[in-house]
Amino acid sequence: MAGGHSPGHGRTLVEQQERGRPVFTGTLTADLLLGDVHSLKGKRAVVRPIVAELRRRFSVAAAEVGDQDLHRRVQIGLATVSADAGQVADVLDACERLLAERPEVTLLSTHRQLLSDTDD
């Protein structure tokens, strides 16, 4: 679960890490094709609400991270942190579904990464 607390335990992720429990970070980068957009201003009008919804619904860090100079393409990156790898995967799955279901964009591809603080 993003936001620094592990589900149901009431401990912060720092406390989890200090106790020797792993902390997991998951990232998702999504490449999107925008529909009927003819300017960068029009692009912002489509991308901002998507990023805001991802942040609000899933408590993730989200931003436009690529293709800023193209008016019909966008890369959105997001990240989440949890003491549970399954929770990280569930959040990334939900975010990907949200992007795939948005009628104003076409989800072209995604790239995921799951890291643990114990990874070398």
Side-chain angles (χ1 to χ4, degrees), residues 4 28-29 57 64 70 72-73 89 108 112:
L28 175 75
T29 304
R57 285 185 59 187
E64 180 180 352
L70 302 175
R72 290 203 61 222
R73 293 285 293 271
L108 300 175
R112 288 179 181 222

Side-chain angles (χ1 to χ4, degrees), residues 19 53 65 69 77:
R19 293 174 178 259
E53 184 174 5
V65 296
D69 56 340

